[in-house]
Amino acid sequence: MKPSLLLISGWAFPPAAWEPVVRRLQSSWPVRVIGADTVLAVGTPKQDPSVVIGRIRSHLPATRPCFLGGWSLGGMLALQAAPGLTDDISGVLLISTTPRFCQDDAQDGGVPQATVRAMTVGLRNEPERTLERFYVSSAAPDDPDPDEMAGWIRASLDHPQGLDAGRQYRRHTDLRPDMSCGGLPAVLM
């Protein structure tokens, strides 16, 4: 039986953004992509790990072996959930993932808090323009397809609570104390 993959997309990227990757993988791996907003609880910056685990578990395919992957914010969610899913998954794939997104007193690397605050203001005042800049910077050095990007913007703006939950999670979550993935094998890309 072929192994399956559940992939969690990054902040503000709907599952459709992964369609080119899914098409290439489908012949070898059955792939399912979910948005990070389907995992995050709205209205709280701190996510209860049992809620994250339960929401991810509800999307896992029935076929085994199954691997859990995530890109950026989706990878943070996979990293957080993996220790609670050791009976359900065979490994973890982390794509452009960091255990702490924002800089703090103990970490020089990461996005400055001021940048996150500026994005918050931008989302409130000019949401389309702010998301467009985010997508362009995320795709660098390539340019995203304008029509696809317009669809991503529409999909993101249809779920403003999910955008906010993801922004809060990235700003407040620190997974550095336990990056064990529950002892599961992990691939970092």
Side-chain angles (χ1 to χ4, degrees), residues 58-82:
S58 74
H59 291 282
L60 288 172
T63 58
R64 299 292 187 262
C66 176
F67 293 84
L68 176 62
W71 172 57
S72 189
L73 169 61
M76 290 179 73
L77 291 162
L79 180 61
Q80 181 181 25

Side-chain angles (χ1 to χ4, degrees), residues 119-133:
M119 183 175 270
T120 300
V121 171
L123 285 169
R124 188 172 36 245
N125 297 333
E126 297 180 284
E128 292 89 357
R129 186 166 182 232
T130 301
L131 287 170
E132 182 177 336
R133 284 194 307 258

Side-chain angles (χ1 to χ4, degrees), residues 132-143:
E132 182 177 336
R133 284 194 307 258
F134 173 73
Y135 295 135
V136 168
S137 72
S138 295
D142 297 324
D143 291 321

Side-chain angles (χ1 to χ4, degrees), residues 8-158:
I8 306 169
S9 66
W11 182 80
F13 276 89
W18 282 91
E19 189 57 37
V21 174
V22 170
R23 274 196 308 271
R24 289 185 179 178
L25 289 175
Q26 283 293 3
S27 64
S28 302
W29 293 71
V31 180
R32 181 173 185 198
V33 182
I34 61 171
D37 61 334
T38 64
V39 175
L40 293 166
V42 174
T44 177
K46 303 271 184 190
Q47 297 292 316
D48 180 341
S50 65
V51 172
V52 171
I53 291 165
R55 288 182 176 183
I56 290 174
R57 183 177 281 127
S58 74
H59 291 282
L60 288 172
T63 58
R64 299 292 187 262
C66 176
F67 293 84
L68 176 62
W71 172 57
S72 189
L73 169 61
M76 290 179 73
L77 291 162
L79 180 61
Q80 181 181 25
L85 294 170
T86 57
D87 291 336
D88 302 296
I89 61 174
S90 298
V92 182
L93 171 63
L94 303 173
I95 306 165
S96 297
T97 298
T98 178
R100 173 82 175 134
F101 181 77
C102 291
Q103 287 179 355
D104 62 17
D105 294 337
Q107 175 175 310
D108 290 336
V111 177
Q113 292 282 351
T115 302
V116 176
R117 285 191 296 274
M119 183 175 270
T120 300
V121 171
L123 285 169
R124 188 172 36 245
N125 297 333
E126 297 180 284
E128 292 89 357
R129 186 166 182 232
T130 301
L131 287 170
E132 182 177 336
R133 284 194 307 258
F134 173 73
Y135 295 135
V136 168
S137 72
S138 295
D142 297 324
D143 291 321
D145 177 272
D147 292 332
E148 287 181 358
M149 187 168 52
W152 303 340
I153 290 171
R154 280 190 305 277
S156 292
L157 294 178
D158 283 346

